[in-house]
Amino acid sequence: MADTIHGGVHNYYRLPPENAPFEERLETALKFLDSGQATTARRLLDRLIVEAPNSGEVCFYWLLAFFGGRTYWELSAEERDRVTAEIRRIGELPTNSWSTGIDVIRRLVYAGRARPDEPVSDSGIEADLNGLPPIVGAEIRQHLERLIQGSLKDELWQGDIQQAKAGRTAGDRRQRVWKFFEPDPLPPRVCPVSEVAVSRMAKALLGIVAVSVIGASGTLGSLVIQRGDSPSVIVLAGALLMAVLAWRSGVNWRFRAEAQGTLDQERRTIRSREGSPRPGGFADEVNQLYLEYLQRFAAGSDRERAAWSSAAYIPLCRLRNDLVDAYRERPATADRVKWLIRFQVKDMRRRWVRGEALDARVRVPVILRLTTIVSAGLTLPALVWVLQSAVRQDALRATGALLALAFAAAIAATVGLRIMVEHEHARAGGARRERLLTGYRAEYRRWQRRLADRPTDMEMAQWLDCDRRLLLDQAIREYRLKWSDIQAYASLEAGGPHSRKARVTNGPWRYSRYRMLVFLLTSDGIRQLTTDLVFEEGAFHRWERTNYRYDAVAAVQVSVGDEDATEFHLFLVSGTDIEVEVTESGRPGADDDPQVLVDGAEDATGLRHTLFVLEGVAAEGRRWWTGPAYQRAAEMRASPLTDDPGVAARVG
């Protein structure tokens, strides 16, 4: 499973410092709330409501976060006292633009205090809720869903389902979801070309060569001119030109021969699999991606696929080695350079289809060999011609010039040739590097534009919430139930098999495939519906229906392994173990808050509420909603949340 943690513009949940502006901290809290992380939002809004107790906006969202994702009877004694005091205080605030929404929440809280098996008076709540501004009403429906139950839930549910059907495909979901799981691409890199290092001694020798050639040529030229031998002057000039030509073509010859030798050595190394990547490392992950795309871009008959694989294997191994060396110096994951690997293989496939040789040999042309040999061969007799004329004029000076030319030729054939060949390698490597970078940069910009509309984490959360509501509706219809038939319900949303996963900093993991379970507790037993969700398509697959009595539940267990990997187990008396891997192991990133990650995972997967419901069933069975778990609600009925008789009358 590929792990991706987004940063940069997708880092929505960085916790602000304590001294951050009030508006910034409020915005962060609302982002956590909208992403389904109500626990963290509660913690942040608890501080804000202390600083701005009279703010209608803060009070509204504090109430949403306080009851977000949980029922009234999940509150602790301290939380009951807290919400009682806060609702009473908020009810005494002057009327403002948030008062209507707050009033609806207060009435829903009253209705939500009843036990599931008790009738609920909900006179006028549906009309008032529908009369709110659409955004405000939608937020109440989303975050206080578990607070709404019984007949009121029946009345509101069809409207919620219509909104879920519209919301699950909103924002071009099918064309954008896959982008969330794509990592932020690393900019293109190519290994730098080493500069040619010339020592001081080599530079001194080359200087001596230049002085020797100029001095010797000048001496020979002056001697033949003194004799009046014009033909020898012309021959000397031709000899110098032939020597330069032999020098340049010789450098090119040796450069090509060495380049081909290097390629041959690489081929032998690759074929013998020497230096194969260490399993599990960065190089091995990169190698697997090259092999994956090698097969993905293969097409045609078996014979054509085999020919493509054979032709591309060695060049791709060479690209793999270069890429690993280029990105080894900085922290990198294979997924972040996947875009470059895909482009390299795709480009190579296009070239292969056009008939280009992917692993062309660096040949030494026959004309280059002939040019070197002929020019060197003509230089020697030309110099002999000039030398015999110069010796007749002054044998001593001519001999000195000959020795100087011999010395220069020896140095040029050793030190000078080596330096020039290295410069040729550097020049060719630099040209290749710039050519590759030009193509890579164009692809990098194209890929960035492609990912520019990557969905936010809040969009992913909203799509998942729509899917969950539709699954709940499917479960209710499958079992031919009404909400008034359901005593309690819970749902789990965990990563599915063969799924990609990604998250933003301090955000819960989002999966490309989900394993989703719904538990409906009715008067005669538990109804369970299990399915797989392909998140990109928003489609459910492989439905499983399971029914069991309350006394069939033997135990509920949650196992927390290394790095907070969490497994949920529901053991039945029959020996069946309903097992779900709710969260996977993973170390927090440098900017992550471990507590936020834990709370976010429990909120996003529904684990906290599922445990509350099923642990109560495992402990008390059918009597659960008349047992201790509901005693808190009974106590609260004797402690009204507000002294406002108008509110009390509206909620019965």
Side-chain angles (χ1 to χ4, degrees), residues 232-283:
S232 294
V233 174
I234 297 174
V235 172
L236 176 61
L240 293 175
L241 290 175
M242 288 298 102
V244 171
L245 181 59
W247 168 262
R248 289 300 307 162
S249 57
V251 168
N252 196 3
W253 184 347
R254 183 166 176 176
F255 159 72
R256 289 172 174 269
E258 288 186 358
Q260 183 57 47
T262 301
L263 293 177
D264 289 341
Q265 179 61 36
E266 285 183 347
R267 291 189 187 95
R268 288 192 293 270
T269 301
I270 292 171
R271 289 195 180 100
S272 63
R273 297 186 179 274
E274 295 179 9
S276 296
R278 176 177 56 84
F282 172 68

Side-chain angles (χ1 to χ4, degrees), residues 392-587:
R392 293 175 184 174
Q393 180 66 24
D394 188 333
L396 183 60
R397 292 176 63 192
T399 302
L402 176 62
L403 293 176
L405 286 176
F407 171 78
I411 298 300
T414 54
V415 178
L417 187 62
R418 177 70 266 160
I419 292 174
M420 289 300 297
V421 170
E422 289 181 359
H423 274 289
E424 282 295 310
H425 284 301
R427 181 197 60 78
R432 174 181 177 274
R433 182 176 185 274
E434 288 303 315
R435 184 176 66 254
L436 291 176
L437 276 177
T438 298
Y440 295 167
R441 285 167 181 157
E443 174 64 14
Y444 178 68
R445 291 190 294 269
R446 187 196 70 82
W447 189 242
Q448 283 185 312
R449 291 192 298 270
R450 189 84 185 276
L451 297 180
D453 63 342
R454 174 189 287 160
T456 65
D457 182 75
M458 284 180 284
E459 288 180 292
M460 299 289 285
Q462 290 163 2
W463 287 327
L464 180 61
D465 184 65
C466 291
D467 293 331
R468 183 185 58 80
R469 289 170 186 263
L470 291 172
L471 178 59
L472 273 171
D473 185 64
Q474 179 70 22
I476 291 170
R477 288 189 288 108
E478 285 281 335
Y479 290 111
R480 300 180 181 179
L481 299 171
K482 301 189 301 293
W483 276 108
S484 53
D485 300 325
I486 299 172
Q487 311 295 340
Y489 72 96
S491 61
L492 273 179
E493 296 90 39
H498 311 296
S499 174
R500 301 180 69 189
K501 65 176 183 177
R503 67 176 178 86
V504 299
T505 301
N506 280 328
W509 288 109
R510 308 297 184 187
Y511 299 94
S512 60
R513 298 182 68 93
Y514 280 90
R515 185 71 168 167
M516 305 184 73
L517 293 83
V518 171
F519 302 93
L520 303 177
L521 278 62
T522 66
S523 58
D524 57 351
I526 299 175
R527 309 287 187 261
Q528 177 186 325
L529 190 64
T530 305
T531 186
D532 291 332
L533 169 66
V534 179
F535 193 70
E536 182 176 342
E537 302 173 1
F540 297 111
H541 300 278
R542 296 182 64 247
W543 298 90
E544 299 176 10
R545 291 176 54 168
T546 308
N547 307 317
Y548 39 92
R549 302 183 310 277
Y550 288 102
D551 56 10
V553 178
V556 175
Q557 175 183 317
V558 172
S559 304
V560 181
D562 295 337
E563 299 178 2
D564 293 326
T566 305
E567 290 185 355
F568 169 86
H569 297 266
L570 177 62
F571 298 99
L572 302 182
V573 174
S574 63
T576 302
D577 175 13
I578 300 173
E579 176 183 347
V580 181
E581 186 177 357
V582 181
T583 61
E584 301 176 44
S585 60
R587 296 181 182 275

Side-chain angles (χ1 to χ4, degrees), residues 189-262:
R189 291 193 69 195
V190 176
C191 288
V193 178
S194 302
E195 297 182 359
V196 179
V198 181
S199 65
R200 292 183 178 179
M201 180 174 291
K203 291 179 180 179
L205 289 175
L206 291 178
I208 294 173
V209 168
V211 171
S212 298
V213 170
I214 294 173
S217 300
T219 299
L220 292 176
S222 64
L223 292 176
V224 295
I225 289 174
Q226 290 174 12
R227 288 192 70 237
D229 189 353
S230 299
S232 294
V233 174
I234 297 174
V235 172
L236 176 61
L240 293 175
L241 290 175
M242 288 298 102
V244 171
L245 181 59
W247 168 262
R248 289 300 307 162
S249 57
V251 168
N252 196 3
W253 184 347
R254 183 166 176 176
F255 159 72
R256 289 172 174 269
E258 288 186 358
Q260 183 57 47
T262 301

Side-chain angles (χ1 to χ4, degrees), residues 160-179:
D160 291 348
I161 290 303
Q162 293 304 316
Q163 291 181 3
K165 288 180 178 179
R168 77 182 310 193
T169 58
D172 202 14
R173 172 180 179 173
R174 286 177 174 265
Q175 302 302 319
R176 296 174 58 215
V177 162
W178 66 270
K179 300 177 184 180

Side-chain angles (χ1 to χ4, degrees), residues 293-308:
Y293 284 113
L294 178 68
Q295 296 301 319
R296 182 179 299 184
F297 289 116
S301 63
D302 291 343
R303 182 175 182 180
E304 183 179 351
R305 294 168 65 90
W308 151 247

Side-chain angles (χ1 to χ4, degrees), residues 107 111 120-126 149 151-152 155 650-651:
R107 296 169 64 193
V120 178
S121 175
D122 48 35
S123 175
I125 295 182
E126 180 184 10
Q149 56 184 327
S151 59
L152 177 58
E155 295 174 8
R650 285 194 295 270
V651 297

